[in-house]
């Protein structure tokens, strides 16, 4: 009795503990997961070992599942979509809580619908189809990287080498088609494209592969991306080598399947054979950082293979399969820790289907009651596995995808760089850049690659297609000035003209043949619209357009142009009429201000020279009337360099030299301007340039099909009511009769028109700068190569010879084409006048300084002589230079009149009188010394009463 009570109490305590510790009573003894993959495949053989190792490691780890045993149910899909679906149903009826797989993207699409219905999460380690990440498959988790990121890496490689087109060989199933769409989207964002799609049947034999590669070899692109399966992809390269497609000029980029194949094949003979087929190929490998866990797994993996006496290697999918098992185990562990149970229940819809008598036993499929919670746990996982940091992004893909860029060469494979979603192409490992340990090297995104043909030179990436299809070249059917381009019914090409000959000459310089077929565009009644011709090229109706096609902004937005082979621009043509020359035409070279300043400077310079020469030059002396005449004569005779008066002073000669230089410039400018005016003066026009054209209200003509209309309306704001569409044959009559006041057209047409119509001229300047080029579809490599060829034609003179052949000058070519001449104004010469004026001012300043210095010296001597006659004479004292000054202030100051009289004196007279004063001053000094000696010998009283001796000193 007491024992029963004790037992009941123990059971009660156990029940309380079970309630207190969540999950203790609900934790099952065994949990099963499924595994769907192809056992006999490159990926499957290695994944099987990895999954079994992962399950064993989970069961040995006490920190995961805490005593609950994890078992795995493996099903072989046998590389068949149908069998894969059946195997998927069979594994789910075994009451698995999650499925590691499926390996195939196609099976993943179908099995995902079953998983959604039964709420069983799928954790795929090899299904890389990007569309599986859509919201249509909520229970699909990708334990590997999506092909969306792999195709981004491929697109970055293509962009890195500046290739614009690529051919994609892909398996024609969900796996291949999804990759095709992803690559196309990435290339389009980089202004590149998939130029040719080569779908390969999933079970294609060697003959089908060869036939496909023959079609690829006839395409333009030589950049070939191969997205195949590891089990059959090598056959593509074997066929390519037999066709000579592994030679120089080709670019082969294989997706990660190739790296998985090479990593899995450890047999030396097979690997050597494979490497011989793959020389120069660039491939990708999913990047996993090195770690102790990774090295341990690889060691145990090799030991396991050796124990079973099998050969093989570990590829990236092995690592992701191993981590996929751990994802499922950790998520189940968290589910059990939270107190959830593992239970299954019937699906009402499947039970109803089973009750109808179906033999499919759909009723055996059970719904995992905790499937939604388990899926949520998986999405929030964050742990470090053998592949690195394991966590999912919002799109249910592994975060931070990264790839290694590999190059096959010699006897192995070498890494040339990395790609990651964060850093794109780089030579630095992703985790080093993220941790800041090593910065990306400037200008180096990949190391050098050895391409097919054992060359390090980057292939051009394209050739002209050898498919027998000629380029459709649109040619405008001009009805006027056919020497540019037009239809030629009798010629072999159907088109002829200057533009056609330039195009043929450029094509002849290319290193490859370019078959062309000319398509004449136009009705032969009027010139076609060049804008519509370019649009047809942009829409793909024509491959290119050759003709007198102007390179303008709105056209460059839709097509690619070559280098211009003709410089062009819009000019204005107007009629001119003769009129009699004016009798006062000789005054028009200079403006009024220019005439006034020039005349004033003639008089000014003459006056300056007179001042500088007057004291020393007899030619500038005489009566006031004579001197005035001399000034005027000298001033204006310098205009013709005919002055007779010589200059003797240094300052006068300096001023005259500068002035004669100014006169030379003025004379030359006047002669040139007068010549232009007398020539142009016979022409009269109301419009002198672009400003006058816009300001007027007169009608303006333009050529049919020209872009001049849109330019005048959109850029210059000319109303459409003023514009008249004209054929070139109507230019002359329209201008002469006044239908239009002016015509705006491109320079090459205008030059040809004016060469035979002498009564018309261009006015103003060329107001646009453009040219003629050949139009090609966007990103056409021919546009680049033909641009180089056109430059070569220009450098070797062939372009000019073709021009002279078709566009020889006419009878009016020797006449000038410009009308109107600008009058010379003061602003063109103010610098010369400034130099001359400054020189005159400095010369006058020096002259007056010297004159005043002479004047004061001369006047000082005169004051001394006057003081000798005064009763209270002061004792003079000598100063430097022999000059003498009074010790007191002079009795009177010189007047202005005295100064002017002194200035008017001859220089020689001043020097003579100064010399005489110096001599008289010396004799006066000797006499004063004698008087002083006699005074000392006389008595003191006599000295007091003696009268001073009288003496006189005549001043000059």
């Amino acid at each position: 009795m007491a024992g029963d009570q004790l037992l009941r109490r123990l059971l009660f305590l156990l029940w309380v503990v079970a309630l207190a510790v969540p999950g203790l009573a609900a934790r099952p003894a065994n949990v099963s997961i499924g595994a769907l993959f192809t056992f006999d495949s490159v990926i499957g053989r290695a994944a099987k070992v990895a999954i079994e190792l992962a399950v064993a490691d989970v069961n040995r780890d006490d920190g995961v599942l805490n005593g609950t045993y994890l078992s795995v149910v493996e099903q072989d899909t046998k590389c068949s979509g149908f069998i894969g679906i059946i195997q998927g149903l069979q594994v789910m009826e075994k009451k698995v809580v999650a499925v590691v797989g499926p390996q195939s993207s196609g099976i993943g699409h179908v099995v995902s619908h079953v998983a959604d219905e039964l709420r069983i999460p799928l954790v795929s380690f090899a299904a890389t189809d990007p569309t599986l990440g859509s919201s249509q498959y909520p229970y699909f988790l990708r334990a590997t990287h999506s092909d969306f990121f792999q195709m981004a890496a491929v697109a970055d490689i293509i962009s890195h080498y500046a290739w614009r087109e690529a051919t994609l060989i892909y398996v024609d199933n969900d796996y291949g088609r999804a990759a095709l769409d992803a690559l196309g989207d990435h290339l389009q964002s980089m202004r590149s494209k998939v130029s040719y799609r080569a779908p390969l049947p999933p079970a294609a034999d060697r003959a089908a592969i060869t036939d496909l590669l023959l079609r690829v070899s006839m395409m333009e692109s030589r950049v070939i991306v191969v997205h195949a399966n590891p089990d059959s992809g090598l056959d593509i390269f074997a066929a390519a080598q037999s066709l000579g497609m592994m030679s120089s000029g080709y670019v082969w980029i294989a997706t990660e399947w190739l790296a998985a194949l090479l990593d899995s094949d450890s047999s030396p003979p097979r690997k050597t054979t494979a490497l011989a087929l793959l020389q120069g190929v660039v491939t990708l490998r999913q990047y996993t950082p090195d770690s102790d866990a990774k090295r341990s797994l690889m060691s145990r993996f090799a030991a396991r293979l050796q124990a079973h006496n099998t050969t093989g290697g570990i590829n990236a999918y092995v690592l992701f399969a191993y981590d996929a098992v751990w994802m499922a185990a950790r998520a189940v562990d968290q589910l059990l820790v939270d107190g959830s149970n593992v239970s299954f229940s019937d699906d009402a819809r499947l039970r109803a289907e089973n009750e109808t008598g179906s033999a499919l036993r759909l009723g055996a499929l059970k719904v995992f009651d905790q499937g939604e919670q388990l899926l949520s746990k998986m999405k929030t996982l964050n742990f470090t596995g053998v592949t690195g940091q394991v966590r999912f992004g919002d799109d249910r893909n592994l975060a931070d995808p990264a790839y290694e860029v590999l190059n096959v060469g010699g006897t192995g494979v070498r890494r040339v760089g990395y790609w990651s979603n964060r850093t794109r192409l780089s030579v630095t490992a992703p985790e080093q850049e993220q941790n800041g340990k090593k910065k990306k090297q400037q200008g180096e995104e990949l190391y050098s690659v050895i391409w097919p043909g054992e060359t390090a030179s980057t292939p051009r990436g394209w050739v002209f297609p050898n498919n027998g299809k000629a380029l459709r070249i649109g040619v405008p059917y001009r009805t006027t000035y056919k020497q540019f381009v037009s239809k030629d019914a009798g010629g072999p090409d159907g088109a002829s003209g200057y533009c056609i000959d330039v195009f043929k000459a450029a094509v002849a310089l290319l290193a490859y043949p370019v078959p062309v077929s000319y398509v004449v565009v136009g009705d032969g009644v009027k010139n076609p619209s060049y804008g519509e011709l370019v649009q047809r090229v942009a829409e793909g109706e024509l491959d290119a357009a050759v003709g007198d096609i102007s390179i303008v902004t709105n056209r460059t937005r839709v097509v690619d142009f070559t280098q211009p082979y003709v410089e062009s621009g819009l000019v204005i043509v107007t009629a001119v009429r003769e009129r009699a020359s004016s009798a006062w035409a000789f005054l028009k070279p200079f403006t009024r201000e220019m005439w006034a300043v020039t005349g004033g400077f003639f008089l000014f310079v003459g006056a300056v020279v007179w001042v500088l020469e007057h004291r020393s030059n007899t030619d500038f002396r005489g009566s006031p009337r004579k001197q005035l005449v001399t000034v005027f004569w000298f001033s204006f005779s310098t205009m013709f360099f005919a002055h007779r008066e010589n200059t003797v002073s240094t300052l006068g000669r300096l001023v005259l030299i500068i002035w004669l230089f100014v006169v030379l410039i003025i004379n030359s400018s006047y002669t040139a301007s007068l010549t232009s005016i007398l020539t142009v003066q016979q022409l009269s026009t109301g419009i002198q340039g672009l400003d006058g054209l816009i300001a007027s209200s007169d009608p303006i003509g333009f050529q049919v099909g020209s872009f001049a209309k849109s330019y005048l309306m959109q850029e210059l704001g000319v109303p459409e009511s003023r514009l008249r569409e004209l054929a070139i044959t109507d230019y002359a009559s329209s201008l002469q009769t006044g239908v239009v006041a002016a015509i705006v057209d491109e320079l090459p047409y205008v030059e040809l028109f004016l060469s035979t119509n002498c009564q018309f001229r261009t006015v103003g300047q060329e107001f646009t700068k453009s040219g003629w080029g050949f139009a090609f579809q966007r990103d056409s490599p021919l546009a680049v190569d033909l641009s180089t060829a056109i430059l070569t034609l220009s450098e070797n003179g062939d372009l000019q010879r073709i021009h002279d052949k078709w566009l020889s000058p006419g009878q009016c070519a020797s006449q000038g084409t410009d009308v109107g001449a600008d009058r010379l104004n003061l602003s063109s010469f103010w610098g010369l006048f400034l130099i001359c004026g400054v020189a005159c001012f400095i010369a006058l300043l020096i002259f007056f300084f010297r004159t005043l210095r002479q004047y004061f010296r001369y006047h000082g001597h005169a004051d001394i002589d006057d003081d000798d006659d005064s009763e209270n004479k002061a004792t003079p004292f000598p100063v430097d230079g022999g000059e003498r000054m009074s010790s007191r202030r002079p009795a009177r100051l010189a007047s202005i009149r005295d100064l002017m009289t002194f200035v008017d004196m001859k220089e020689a007279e001043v020097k003579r009188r100064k010399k005489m004063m110096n001599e008289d001053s010396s004799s006066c000094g000797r006499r004063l010394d004698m008087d002083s000696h006699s005074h000392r010998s006389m008595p003191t009283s006599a000295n007091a009463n003696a009268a001073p001796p009288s003496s006189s000193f005549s001043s000059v």
Side-chain angles (χ1 to χ4, degrees), residues 13-54:
L13 289 175
L14 290 174
W15 179 72
V16 171
V17 170
L19 293 178
V21 181
L24 181 62
R27 184 176 293 272
N30 180 74
V31 173
S32 297
I33 60 173
L36 281 176
F37 56 94
T38 300
F39 292 176
D40 189 17
S41 65
V42 171
I43 295 176
R45 284 191 293 269
K48 180 178 177 64
V49 177
I51 291 172
E52 292 172 357
L53 287 175

Side-chain angles (χ1 to χ4, degrees), residues 45-46 264-268 270 301-302 305-306 308-313:
R45 284 191 293 269
S264 301
D265 196 349
S266 60
S267 173
R270 288 198 304 268
F301 185 90
L305 293 179
Q306 187 176 5
H308 289 78
N309 198 22
T310 58
T311 60

